[in-house]
């Protein structure tokens, strides 16, 4: 019954901002890491940002300084604050939560950056 649901995607102009959210349908235990992936047309899915159980964050070079990944305080939630968006950021963004023994994926949310 575990399900991840992303929200917050949409159409935004270059230089704008979006905040993506990922919420679990229920309690998920033994979380080891969480992350956001994206897939642009003609490209493979790539890891955009991740955060470990200890709070260590990592970003792909293309978004470093513009995106911020964070966790919900007392819930199984994940956020991605995206600022100074560029057309190259366009793609389907996916949430992933890693647990001991496996991982869970969201269905994806479309982000389009265009004038």
């Amino acid at each position: 019954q575990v399900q991840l649901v992303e929200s917050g995607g949409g159409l935004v102009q270059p230089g704008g901002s979006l905040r993506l959210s990922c919420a679990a349908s229920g309690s998920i235990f033994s979380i080891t890491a969480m992350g956001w992936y994206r897939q642009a047309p003609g490209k493979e899915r790539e890891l955009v940002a991740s955060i470990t159980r200890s709070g260590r964050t990592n970003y792909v070079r293309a978004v470093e300084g513009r995106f911020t990944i964070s966790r919900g305080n007392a819930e199984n939630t994940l956020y991605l604050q995206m600022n100074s968006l560029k057309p190259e950021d366009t793609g389907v963004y996916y949430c992933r939560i890693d647990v001991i023994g496996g991982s869970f994926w969201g269905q994806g949310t479309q982000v389009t950056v265009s004038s």
Side-chain angles (χ1 to χ4, degrees):
Q1 294 293 92
V2 176
Q3 184 177 3
L4 305 182
V5 179
E6 298 104 332
S7 62
L11 174 64
V12 65
Q13 294 184 355
S17 298
L18 286 173
R19 186 176 181 86
L20 305 184
S21 299
C22 173
S25 61
S27 297
I28 301 178
F29 302 98
S30 302
I31 294 175
T32 58
M34 296 181 284
W36 288 96
Y37 292 71
R38 70 184 179 188
Q39 186 166 22
K43 295 185 177 181
E44 296 183 352
R45 187 177 300 185
E46 66 173 346
L47 176 64
V48 177
S50 64
I51 183 167
T52 67
R53 183 180 180 181
S54 64
R56 186 182 75 253
T57 59
N58 288 97
Y59 301 90
V60 68
R61 187 174 183 178
V63 309
E64 190 171 6
R66 300 186 296 116
F67 290 11
T68 303
I69 188 172
S70 61
R71 300 173 296 185
N73 185 32
E75 301 179 77
N76 293 325
T77 54
L78 184 68
Y79 304 97
L80 185 67
Q81 178 67 46
M82 305 186 295
N83 299 325
S84 302
L85 283 163
K86 305 175 180 179
E88 302 85 78
D89 297 318
T90 295
V92 179
Y93 284 69
Y94 300 88
C95 170
R96 191 180 87 172
I97 296 179
D98 296 329
V99 300
I100 297 176
S103 62
F104 301 98
W105 288 87
Q107 79 289 342
T109 184
Q110 177 70 43
V111 172
T112 302
V113 185
S114 177
S115 299

